[in-house]
């Protein structure tokens, strides 16, 4: 095997960067101000307004630390606001602002364009990119690279 094949993490990172940059172009063209990697937070708050940081993390399948890093930018852009939870003062609940709600509509419209773009890419590849990535994610969970290959190790 070629030494380059051992750097699959770098290739995966490069693919992620390409997808992010190309999505940014489409989002910007459609007047979406939400950072690409924060769209899932905004759409989740559209679906389930008034969530805590941990609830957002759970709903977006992200770590609380990652969500905590993204929230200040969304607050600064006035896309979300927060209030203390009346039943538990230790918790903050996050809500969309009116500006955030307008951005969600633009995001959802943009998703239709992204779906057409993905359809073209899938036809070019001869398979569904999303399904293949989900398959790879499942396989890495069931047979991690650090396992001996003889049995499944759940992380």
């Amino acid at each position: 095997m070629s030494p380059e094949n051992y750097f699959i993490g770098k290739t995966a990172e490069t693919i992620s960067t390409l997808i992010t940059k190309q999505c940014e172009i489409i989002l910007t063209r459609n007047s979406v101000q939400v950072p690409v990697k924060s769209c899932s937070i905004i759409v989740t708050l559209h679906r389930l307004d008034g969530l805590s940081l941990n609830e957002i993390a759970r709903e977006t399948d992200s770590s609380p630390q990652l969500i905590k890093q993204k929230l200040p930018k969304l607050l600064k852009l006035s896309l979300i606001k927060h209030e203390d939870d009346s039943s538990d003062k230790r918790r903050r609940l996050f809500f969309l602002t009116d500006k955030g709600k307008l951005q969600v509509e633009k995001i959802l419209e943009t998703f239709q364009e992204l779906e057409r773009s993905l359809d073209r890419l899938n036809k070019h590849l001869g398979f569904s990119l999303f399904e293949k990535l989900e398959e790879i994610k499942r396989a890495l969970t069931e047979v991690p690279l650090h396992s001996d290959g003889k049995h499944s190790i759940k992380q």
Side-chain angles (χ1 to χ4, degrees):
M1 184 183 328
S2 167
E4 294 83 29
N5 292 339
Y6 295 108
F7 301 115
I8 58 175
K10 171 116 176 68
T11 300
E13 197 174 293
T14 300
I15 291 167
S16 175
T17 300
L18 279 168
I19 291 170
T20 299
K21 286 181 178 181
Q22 292 175 18
C23 286
E24 281 174 356
I25 292 168
I26 295 170
L27 289 169
T28 301
R29 186 170 58 217
N30 289 296
S31 303
V32 175
Q33 299 171 343
V34 181
V36 172
K37 293 185 177 185
S38 296
C39 285
S40 61
I41 296 171
I42 296 293
V43 171
T44 297
L45 287 174
H46 172 68
R47 200 170 40 85
L48 302 165
D49 213 16
L51 297 177
S52 70
L53 183 145
N54 286 329
E55 290 166 333
I56 295 169
R58 186 174 51 252
E59 290 294 325
T60 60
D61 195 24
S62 302
S63 71
Q65 295 85 354
L66 183 62
I67 298 301
K68 190 173 183 177
Q69 288 175 359
K70 293 178 180 183
L71 291 177
K73 174 95 179 200
L74 298 174
L75 287 162
K76 185 176 179 184
L77 290 169
S78 300
L79 299 171
I80 63 171
K81 61 185 177 182
H82 59 79
E83 299 172 7
D84 289 335
D85 186 341
S86 59
S87 62
D88 183 350
K89 295 293 182 198
R90 296 170 297 174
R91 281 176 22 122
R92 275 195 171 152
L93 301 178
F94 294 88
F95 300 85
L96 289 177
T97 61
D98 289 340
K99 182 178 177 184
K101 291 174 186 174
L102 290 172
Q103 285 291 297
V104 166
E105 296 308 317
K106 291 179 184 210
I107 291 169
L108 296 176
E109 290 169 13
T110 302
F111 281 173
Q112 293 172 354
E113 182 179 344
L114 285 168
E115 191 170 338
R116 289 189 299 273
S117 297
L118 277 172
D119 285 345
R120 285 191 304 275
L121 180 60
N122 291 340
K123 282 182 182 148
H124 178 79
L125 292 170
F127 59 84
S128 165
L129 179 60
F130 182 79
E131 288 174 11
K132 190 60 70 177
L133 290 172
E134 285 295 318
E135 181 183 337
I136 292 166
K137 187 168 72 171
R138 278 191 306 277
L140 284 168
T141 301
E142 293 169 7
V143 186
L145 296 175
H146 58 78
S147 73
D148 60 10
K150 296 178 183 166
H151 57 278
S152 173
I153 300 174
K154 297 290 181 189
Q155 295 180 349

